[in-house]
Amino acid sequence: MSTTGQTRALTPPDIAARKGKTPLVCLTAYTTPIARLVDPHCDVVLVGDSAGMVLHGLPLTLGVTLEMMIMHGKAVRRGLERALMVVDMPFGSYEEGPDQAFRNAARMMAETGCAAVKLEGGEAVAQTIRFLAARGVPVMAHVGLTPQAVNTFGGYRVQGRGEDGERIRIDALAVAEAGAFAVVLEKVPEQLARRLTAELTIPTIGIGASPACDGQVLVVDDMLGLFGDFRPKFVKRYAELGDAASAAIAAYAHEVRERRFPAAEHVFGDAPATAKGGEAA
Ligand code: KIV
């Protein structure tokens, strides 16, 4: 049951048309059960390469492969009915140029059923975005702190403070002009995100950016409190599921050791199964 009243699946043009309107709600998902949970509430579900860190225990997103993203994309597709599914192109799958990017994005779309891909980078990938957009591959861009470039930045610092804001502005204008249907602004000063949202004609989707953005995105494991002690300033924890899971696992371990689980209601008698085909008590 959708909480948004939307009955058909959203498309990239639907998302582009939301510029300046009700804020776009976006979360990541990597598995079918989480996709089913987020779909009724979200406009965009991003199969982010953050999967490498939050699900696979990698230290960075750089080790994520096309095959990993395709596997997560297929799983998420099975859980979505109405949100637009966007899949991240992983590091090394598009930077060589338009031909490589098209080959891998086409494979991503064909194998996962996603309607759009996301690429990190600004001016440097604008030509690639133009090539893809003109050939049936809708692109969500991603500027500001782009985690695949963590080694170039020397860490996960805020990007675009002071005069450096002009670099982010040039990147954002370049990807919009190249035909991206939306752009993620990650970890940039609030005032810069606000100015860019006013200047760009495509929706901005903020993460560590500004409430003035046309939408917001968070990594679902972060906002559910499932990703350990990772507590960056831009993440609000809406639940502490990690703590709840830990307490449940401890209770199970205790009851097994005390022989209190399984209890009578969890075990089977040896009477024949009932005619209704139910489990024998
Ligand atoms: O990989 C990811 O989850 C992302 C979002 C944080 C925007 O790129």
Side-chain angles (χ1 to χ4, degrees):
M1 163 81 182
S2 162
T3 59
T4 60
Q6 175 75 26
T7 49
R8 67 170 172 81
L10 289 162
T11 65
D14 292 330
I15 299 304
R18 291 274 295 274
K19 175 74 191 172
K21 303 205 172 109
T22 320
L24 290 158
V25 180
C26 177
L27 280 173
T28 64
Y30 319 106
T31 62
T32 309
I34 295 291
R36 287 197 177 119
L37 286 176
V38 302
D39 184 58
H41 305 282
C42 288
D43 302 300
V44 178
V45 171
L46 172 67
V47 186
D49 62 355
S50 48
M53 295 171 78
V54 300
L55 289 195
H56 295 270
L58 294 173
L60 306 169
T61 57
L62 300 183
V64 175
T65 64
L66 196 64
E67 285 68 30
M68 287 163 76
M69 295 310 298
I70 288 173
M71 184 196 68
H72 288 297
K74 284 178 173 171
V76 169
R77 182 68 270 159
R78 292 180 207 117
L80 297 185
E81 286 179 14
R82 59 163 301 281
L84 173 70
M85 174 167 126
V86 180
V87 184
D88 255 342
M89 297 299 292
F91 181 63
S93 70
Y94 59 94
E95 297 88 336
E96 282 173 28
D99 291 341
Q100 183 211 22
F102 183 79
R103 191 167 56 251
N104 288 328
R107 182 173 165 211
M108 184 74 84
M109 292 176 84
E111 294 191 29
T112 68
C114 70
V117 299
K118 179 163 80 59
L119 306 186
E120 293 186 8
E123 235 189 341
V125 292
Q127 200 198 338
T128 295
I129 292 175
R130 190 184 312 284
F131 189 89
L132 295 181
R135 287 163 180 78
V137 182
V139 178
M140 178 179 279
H142 183 159
V143 305
L145 175 67
T146 46
Q148 292 174 11
V150 61
N151 291 315
T152 307
F153 295 141
Y156 293 102
R157 297 192 186 87
V158 173
Q159 298 294 310
R161 282 195 161 125
E163 289 182 2
D164 191 37
E166 187 54 19
R167 175 176 64 86
I168 308 297
R169 177 172 172 269
I170 288 168
D171 280 343
L173 290 174
V175 297
E177 197 273 326
F181 70 89
V183 57
V184 171
L185 301 180
E186 179 164 351
K187 220 167 169 187
V188 296
E190 196 277 331
Q191 300 83 345
L192 175 64
R194 192 174 283 273
R195 281 202 306 276
L196 290 178
T197 300
E199 185 170 5
L200 292 173
T201 54
I202 59 171
T204 57
I205 301 183
I207 175 164
S210 166
C213 287
D214 299 295
Q216 302 295 327
V217 60
L218 283 178
V219 170
V220 72
D221 296 62
D222 293 344
M223 56 87 78
L224 292 178
L226 276 170
F227 190 45
D229 288 332
F230 182 66
R231 288 175 184 271
K233 180 179 165 78
F234 59 83
V235 173
K236 178 172 176 181
R237 283 204 180 184
Y238 286 82
E240 294 293 346
L241 298 193
D243 289 348
S246 179
I249 293 161
Y252 164 75
H254 179 71
E255 291 194 2
V256 168
R257 291 191 180 107
E258 297 281 307
R259 297 195 189 283
R260 283 165 47 201
F261 177 84
E265 66 267 32
H266 305 120
V267 298
F268 302 93
D270 66 359
T274 61
K276 285 181 190 156
E279 282 182 306

